[in-house]
């Protein structure tokens, strides 16, 4: 009986020795992830700081429901929330102490959602708590991911 010919699967376009394959879409996205994370952190921090500045200083339309006014100093919980928003927002924006500031900011927004909004209705769309819920989850994400590639923490740690 004659031997049966063996066939091997050959690629349609063989790769030449020394040639590299083009990176996949996933590899390209993974390469820019730290930078996109930094842009996400900067935008979230800026928006959060704007909420605090509006409530404390009456800029950007002022505190919600105040016709351009501010929140009276020391009032619970609004004034304290505004201070957290301004300070944590600026820290997150700059990328310094990001994880700690994001943890505090996330907790304050979770408190705002459950104490202020959730008592009116279950769903954020019904109780006006969408921004509180989104900020809480965005900051919680930053607690676990860190500041990304572009941050003051990373800049200062390189100079040591």
């Amino acid at each position: 009986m004659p031997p049966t010919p063996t066939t091997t699967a050959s690629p349609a376009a063989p790769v030449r020795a020394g040639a590299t394959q083009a990176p996949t879409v996933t590899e390209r996205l993974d390469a820019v992830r730290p930078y996109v994370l930094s842009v996400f952190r900067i935008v979230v921090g800026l928006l959060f700081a704007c909420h605090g500045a509006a409530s404390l200083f009456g800029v950007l339309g002022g505190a919600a429901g105040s016709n351009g006014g501010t929140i009276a100093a020391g009032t619970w919980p609004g004034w304290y929330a505004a201070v957290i928003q301004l300070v944590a927002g600026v820290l997150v924006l700059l990328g310094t102490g990001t994880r700690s500031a994001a943890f505090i900011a996330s907790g304050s927004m979770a408190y705002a959602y459950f104490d202020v909004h959730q008592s009116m209705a279950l769903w954020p769309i019904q109780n006006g708590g969408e921004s509180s819920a989104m900020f809480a989850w965005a900051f919680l994400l930053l607690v676990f991911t860190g500041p990304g590639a572009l941050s003051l923490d990373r800049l200062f740690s390189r100079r040591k």
Side-chain angles (χ1 to χ4, degrees):
M1 178 182 259
T4 56
T6 58
T7 59
T8 58
S10 63
V15 178
R16 289 177 283 172
T20 59
Q21 293 181 340
T24 65
V25 172
T26 301
E27 290 169 337
R28 288 180 183 174
L29 292 173
D30 285 345
V32 297
R33 181 187 310 163
Y35 302 99
V36 174
L37 178 61
S38 292
V39 172
F40 174 78
R41 173 189 47 81
I42 290 166
V43 169
V44 169
L46 176 65
L47 293 173
F48 203 59
C50 286
H51 274 276
S55 297
L56 293 173
F57 308 121
V59 296
L60 304 170
S66 70
N67 252 357
T70 62
I71 294 176
T75 57
W76 178 259
W79 185 81
Y80 293 95
V83 170
I84 290 171
Q85 290 168 358
L86 181 62
V87 173
V90 169
L91 290 174
V92 168
L93 168 71
L94 297 175
T96 184
T98 301
R99 290 177 192 254
S100 299
F103 181 75
I104 292 167
S106 178
S108 75
M109 288 295 96
Y111 174 84
Y113 180 76
F114 287 109
D115 187 59
V116 176
H117 298 284
Q118 206 272 327
S119 63
M120 292 182 255
L122 177 63
W123 297 102
I125 191 75
Q126 295 172 315
N127 63 30
E130 292 138 316
S131 63
S132 295
M134 289 296 293
F135 274 125
W137 286 105
F139 283 120
L140 188 63
L141 177 66
L142 290 172
V143 169
F144 288 94
T145 60
L150 308 172
S151 68
L152 286 183
D153 281 345
R154 176 163 262 177
L155 178 69
F156 292 139
S157 68
R158 288 183 185 165
R159 292 188 178 191
K160 290 180 181 179

